[in-house]
Amino acid sequence: MAKKHNPVVSNLILATLFAFFSIQLSAQNQNPDFKSNSDFWQNVQFGGGLGLSIGSGYTDISVAPSAIYNVNEYFAVGLGAQYTYVKVRNSYNSNLYGGSLITLFNPIPEIQLSAELEQLRVNLKGVGNNNFSDNFWNTGLFLGAGYRSGNVTIGARYNVLYKENKGAYSDAFMPFVRFYF
């Protein structure tokens, strides 16, 4: 049975990616002599993560850029994008891609609380003797806490929408390292 495509989710992801890349292009084309009446770009930080895991018959490559706007010294909001490729020899290949909405709260400079709503498209394909294919949307709502020092936060997050053996992740609990410059 064919799965129905959700156009609202697709449009949300496309709008998120468009906004992210528009911010990136606009930030790189700024004229340093231009005097703006707005402090908007002074409050924007870019960051994200890169991941690479290679083992015997296993490959995992991930790219996850993001941008946040610091509303004040306590609160920030932002957008993220993600692409992950996973291959397990003689088992399966997968491509995951999507976007996220991010909120960060710093009650004190050293503590960062976070909430992230993530929407990923997951494409799985079996290889070898595992002849299968599965494509689906995965929604995650991650609540996290971490220790912050300068531009780096180290912590853990928990997916409150996690269901065992369903979705893109094998566990609801995930450690993280977050960078923003």
Side-chain angles (χ1 to χ4, degrees), residues 74-92:
Y74 303 105
F75 185 69
V77 295
L79 300 171
Q82 177 179 339
Y83 174 76
T84 301
Y85 171 77
V86 178
K87 180 179 181 178
V88 178
R89 186 182 332 150
N90 298 326
S91 185
Y92 70 91

Side-chain angles (χ1 to χ4, degrees), residues 137-176:
W137 288 99
N138 185 80
T139 303
L141 177 58
F142 296 93
L143 302 179
Y147 173 76
R148 181 176 150 206
S149 178
N151 295 335
V152 179
T153 304
I154 298 171
R157 64 187 194 159
Y158 183 81
N159 184 356
V160 297
L161 300 178
Y162 174 78
K163 292 182 178 143
E164 192 170 346
N165 298 323
K166 291 185 180 183
Y169 299 110
S170 61
D171 198 340
F173 179 77
M174 292 181 204
F176 69 81

Side-chain angles (χ1 to χ4, degrees), residues 33-52:
D33 296 329
F34 176 73
K35 302 292 182 200
S36 171
N37 293 334
S38 170
D39 292 332
F40 179 83
W41 290 110
Q42 293 176 0
N43 294 325
V44 174
Q45 291 181 283
F46 297 98
L50 298 171
L52 176 64

